[in-house]
Amino acid sequence: MDGRVTMADVAREADVSLMTVSRVVNDKGEISPSTRQRVLEVIERLGYRPSAIARGLATNRTGTLGLVVPDIANPFFSDIARGVEEEAYAAGYNVFLCSTYEDPERETDVLQSLEEQRIDGLVLCSSRLDDKTLRRMLAGFPAIVLTNRWLDGYGAGVIRVDSELGGRLATNFLLDAGHTAVGFLTGPPTSVDGRLRVNGYHAALEAAGKPRSAALERPCPSNVDGGREAAREFLASQPGLTALLCYNDLVAIGALFACVDLGLRVPSDLAVVGFDDIALAAWVSPPLTTCGSPRFELGVKAMQMLLDRIDGGTGEGQEILVQPELVVRSSAP
Amino acid sequence: MDGRVTMADVAREADVSLMTVSRVVNDKGEISPSTRQRVLEVIERLGYRPSAIARGLATNRTGTLGLVVPDIANPFFSDIARGVEEEAYAAGYNVFLCSTYEDPERETDVLQSLEEQRIDGLVLCSSRLDDKTLRRMLAGFPAIVLTNRWLDGYGAGVIRVDSELGGRLATNFLLDAGHTAVGFLTGPPTSVDGRLRVNGYHAALEAAGKPRSAALERPCPSNVDGGREAAREFLASQPGLTALLCYNDLVAIGALFACVDLGLRVPSDLAVVGFDDIALAAWVSPPLTTCGSPRFELGVKAMQMLLDRIDGGTGEGQEILVQPELVVRSSAP
DNA sequence: CTGTTAGCGCATTCAA
DNA sequence: TTGAATGCGCTAACAG
């Protein structure tokens, strides 16, 4: 009906049993070179392609993985995706990509969907779900790696950037350069990373004996337009700012535009610092000073960790902490 | 063993047959409200999740799709991916993402892999395979949409940018502005789009009565670094150039850097024009003049076309041609 | 080295 | 409105 060639077709045509074909296809068990040859020929001639889903049903292994990110069009995540996919491809896995667009409901949706697909493992990036919901949604997956997010007492692998350190580095850098009024565009309130960066900012402020003020912090969407808009309002309401930390490079680029809008020169009127060091950061004008993290490698390591856990790996909690690094360009100090 | 809850578990627990559970899960057939309620409760209590692969094996529909792109980290493709994924999500599909990195072997690899996964449909972007290979690889898919590539006499859906027109528009723009020596960084030789743009360039040159010269064309990788490198060599060997057309915006940005390297001012010493109009194009300095195309919409339409073909759609060849549009900023003329 | 039996979890007939 | 039988395409566990 479907016209699809099945293993049975091959077996009949090659005059062997199903198992023999199966063995040839999977390179398992000893097979006489002659029959193996014959089977391979028939496979080739008939254009047979094994069905991964039938195999999956029989073996309880689908050969598929899931990658969930807030937004694939954000270079931060597309770089991670490259790393993840690279490793997955090398290991023979196919990966489902899902973007959540910062929408928790959509996140639970795609997670449920991936569970139904019976993926062998999941890389979940920067989850916006609260601990309780996350725990519930993750229960059905055989192997999990979380990036930039952790979950206490759960056997998941974790790989994350030390964003608290990043926040400190960036803040100290500005403070050391003599800045006195450092504002922070903190990104989405649901972002764990954002909170960590703010924590680092607080810590640095405190260590320097400077007071902190809620008026100096403002949430914003994590993209250029949102950053631009937020920065415009923020700068108008806080004319005393000499420096601005931004949730990520996209927001920082938005802030750069806001400065143009408002007639402020960067960095002389306002210093701007981003986070992530996406390629883009070096291409804008002025080139962005930013607190960088290795995204591609993060993706690669996340996938390696996942593969480990899939075959044989203990379900133990395990954590890799990646160090951020300040990249000084022209937008600050 | 696996601990996974199956439909049989639910049936036993709810004291009904498998079929009743199946009907409840799929909202099919008439079911008495009371038993329906009971089944739903058990499903909830047991945390039952239907197995998409078992369903797939039984129905010959997996609820999965494939998206193949040259490079997910290229904004051109990540924007398309967003559109594709958006529509797929709305329709309840999961999508496998595969990047080929311009490697034909990897492309055939992932296509075979997707066929084995028994995806319901495929969106293949900018395939780098030759017609014969492509035809062979595509034979096993139930529904296909190609972007920026076509295949004669094959029932695939096609959606593509009129890149030949784009090439003409960009060239005419430069010619009209008085440029006399217009070079072209043509991108990967395997790119159909690249060839079309060059065709348009030739057509415009011819229409204007200008000679063309092989010395004015040079292939290059389709990213910033490759573009920068190629532009540097190209500009050194062709000092007479007054304008440079670039395969895409990434290459154009590379060319911008090459100009900095060589001490050339843009656009006064050299005008630079890109293709695609990715967001980035407006953010670099000087902002890029480029020949834009709607990438997100392209992804959306590609997926809509695919969904059409999946359910009921004729397998007829069908083609949507998208018009590019010149976006004039500061890098040219 | 090769074949047989059984079942993975579900949906599609048909009956009742 | 509900249930029983059958098979999707493949592999695991045993034979031979």
Side-chain angles (χ1 to χ4, degrees):
Chain A
M1 208 86 318
D2 183 22
R4 263 214 180 284
V5 182
T6 114
M7 210 168 229
D9 298 330
V10 177
R12 188 178 339 102
E13 198 78 4
D15 200 39
V16 293
S17 78
L18 272 178
M19 268 322 292
T20 304
V21 179
S22 174
R23 287 186 179 109
V24 170
V25 168
N26 298 301
D27 268 322
K28 271 191 180 172
E30 303 302 300
I31 302 222
S32 87
S34 67
T35 59
R36 161 188 218 80
Q37 192 52 41
R38 187 151 39 93
V39 170
L40 284 175
E41 274 172 19
V42 174
I43 286 178
E44 175 69 15
R45 180 155 56 77
L46 266 45
Y48 167 71
R49 295 270 177 277
S51 163
I53 62 171
R55 175 187 293 147
L57 193 58
T59 60
N60 213 14
R61 289 286 213 100
T62 55
T64 64
L65 303 172
L67 172 63
V68 177
V69 296
D71 182 3
I72 190 59
N74 179 332
F76 180 78
F77 295 110
S78 62
D79 284 345
I80 290 182
R82 267 208 322 122
V84 165
E85 206 222 334
E86 202 57 35
E87 287 294 303
Y89 172 73
Y93 281 92
N94 286 109
V95 4
F96 285 110
L97 173 71
C98 306
S99 290
T100 65
Y101 304 106
E102 313 274 350
D103 178 357
E105 194 174 335
R106 179 146 174 180
E107 188 172 342
T108 57
D109 248 42
V110 300
L111 287 175
Q112 166 155 354
S113 198
L114 289 176
E115 182 178 349
E116 296 184 357
Q117 292 292 349
R118 297 296 189 264
I119 59 174
D120 294 334
L122 169 72
V123 174
L124 175 54
C125 297
S126 303
S127 172
R128 306 306 199 208
L129 299 177
D130 61 87
D131 279 23
K132 183 167 166 243
T133 308
L134 188 54
R135 218 177 292 271
R136 182 164 51 77
M137 295 310 301
L138 260 33
F141 296 100
I144 304 169
V145 169
L146 266 25
T147 80
N148 291 341
R149 168 69 186 255
W150 65 96
L151 199 55
D152 290 328
Y154 196 93
V158 168
I159 176 163
R160 62 188 191 87
V161 178
D162 190 345
S163 290
E164 203 267 351
L165 172 60
R168 281 207 312 275
L169 287 177
T171 310
N172 282 334
F173 173 71
L174 291 169
L175 258 25
D176 290 348
H179 284 281
T180 50
V182 180
F184 204 147
L185 248 27
T186 58
T190 47
S191 166
V192 172
D193 248 12
R195 287 202 290 272
L196 289 175
R197 284 165 194 172
V198 172
N199 288 349
Y201 162 76
H202 289 165
L205 247 30
E206 187 163 351
K210 311 261 181 196
R212 66 160 111 151
S213 151
L216 293 182
E217 300 168 22
R218 187 193 196 285
C220 68
S222 63
N223 54 53
V224 174
D225 290 340
R228 181 179 194 158
E229 190 92 15
R232 214 148 38 187
E233 293 176 20
F234 193 40
L235 293 172
S237 71
Q238 299 288 329
L241 290 182
T242 66
L244 185 61
L245 290 171
C246 299
Y247 172 67
N248 66 13
D249 289 339
L250 296 180
V251 171
I253 291 170
L256 251 31
F257 283 115
C259 289
V260 173
D261 298 341
L262 299 171
L264 295 171
R265 282 163 312 172
V266 176
S268 53
D269 293 333
L270 184 82
V272 173
V273 174
F275 283 88
D276 296 347
D277 191 29
I278 57 180
L280 197 42
W283 301 340
V284 295
S285 175
L288 219 51
T289 292
T290 183
C291 190
S293 44
R295 301 162 303 286
F296 179 80
E297 292 73 13
L298 203 140
V300 167
K301 283 186 184 164
M303 183 49 71
Q304 288 171 343
M305 201 186 240
L306 186 63
L307 293 172
D308 266 8
R309 309 184 136 251
I310 287 176
D311 31 58
T314 75
E316 294 292 301
Q318 176 190 5
E319 178 166 338
I320 296 182
L321 196 61
V322 177
Q323 301 302 314
E325 203 166 295
L326 204 65
V327 180
V328 180
R329 297 202 183 88
S330 316
S331 71
Chain B
M1 213 81 323
D2 183 22
R4 265 216 178 282
V5 182
T6 116
M7 210 168 226
D9 298 329
V10 176
R12 188 177 340 101
E13 198 77 4
D15 200 39
V16 293
S17 75
L18 272 177
M19 266 322 295
T20 306
V21 180
S22 173
R23 287 186 179 110
V24 170
V25 168
N26 298 302
D27 268 321
K28 270 190 179 171
E30 302 303 301
I31 302 220
S32 86
S34 69
T35 59
R36 163 189 216 80
Q37 191 53 41
R38 188 151 38 94
V39 171
L40 283 175
E41 273 171 19
V42 174
I43 285 178
E44 174 69 17
R45 180 156 56 78
L46 266 45
Y48 167 71
R49 295 271 177 276
S51 163
I53 62 170
R55 175 187 292 148
L57 191 57
T59 60
N60 213 14
R61 290 286 213 100
T62 55
T64 64
L65 303 173
L67 172 63
V68 177
V69 296
D71 183 3
I72 191 59
N74 179 334
F76 181 78
F77 294 112
S78 64
D79 284 345
I80 290 182
R82 262 200 337 116
V84 165
E85 206 223 332
E86 203 55 36
E87 287 295 303
Y89 172 74
Y93 282 92
N94 286 109
V95 4
F96 285 111
L97 172 71
C98 307
S99 290
T100 64
Y101 304 106
E102 313 275 352
D103 177 357
E105 194 174 336
R106 180 147 174 179
E107 187 172 342
T108 57
D109 248 40
V110 301
L111 287 175
Q112 167 156 353
S113 197
L114 289 176
E115 181 177 349
E116 296 184 357
Q117 292 292 349
R118 298 296 189 264
I119 58 174
D120 294 334
L122 170 73
V123 173
L124 175 55
C125 296
S126 304
S127 172
R128 305 306 199 210
L129 299 177
D130 62 87
D131 279 23
K132 182 163 166 248
T133 309
L134 188 54
R135 216 177 293 271
R136 182 164 52 77
M137 294 311 301
L138 259 33
F141 295 100
I144 304 169
V145 168
L146 266 25
T147 80
N148 291 341
R149 169 68 186 255
W150 66 94
L151 198 57
D152 291 327
Y154 196 92
V158 168
I159 176 163
R160 61 188 191 86
V161 177
D162 190 344
S163 289
E164 203 268 350
L165 172 60
R168 280 208 312 274
L169 286 177
T171 309
N172 281 334
F173 172 71
L174 291 170
L175 258 26
D176 290 348
H179 283 282
T180 49
V182 179
F184 204 148
L185 248 28
T186 58
T190 46
S191 166
V192 172
D193 249 11
R195 286 202 290 272
L196 289 175
R197 285 165 193 172
V198 171
N199 288 349
Y201 162 76
H202 288 166
L205 246 32
E206 187 162 351
K210 311 261 181 194
R212 68 160 110 151
S213 150
L216 293 182
E217 300 169 23
R218 188 191 193 286
C220 68
S222 63
N223 53 53
V224 173
D225 290 340
R228 182 178 193 159
E229 190 93 13
R232 212 147 41 185
E233 293 176 20
F234 193 41
L235 293 172
S237 72
Q238 300 286 329
L241 290 183
T242 66
L244 185 61
L245 253 22
C246 299
Y247 172 66
N248 66 13
D249 289 339
L250 295 180
V251 170
I253 291 170
L256 251 31
F257 284 115
C259 288
V260 172
D261 297 341
L262 300 171
L264 296 171
R265 281 164 313 173
V266 176
S268 53
D269 293 333
L270 183 81
V272 174
V273 175
F275 282 89
D276 296 346
D277 191 29
I278 57 179
L280 198 44
W283 301 341
V284 293
S285 174
L288 220 51
T289 292
T290 182
C291 190
S293 44
R295 300 162 305 285
F296 179 80
E297 291 73 13
L298 202 141
V300 168
K301 283 187 184 163
M303 183 48 71
Q304 288 172 342
M305 200 186 242
L306 186 63
L307 293 173
D308 266 8
R309 307 182 138 252
I310 287 175
D311 31 56
T314 73
E316 294 293 302
Q318 176 190 5
E319 178 166 340
I320 296 182
L321 196 61
V322 177
Q323 301 301 314
E325 203 166 294
L326 205 63
V327 180
V328 180
R329 297 200 184 88
S330 315
S331 71

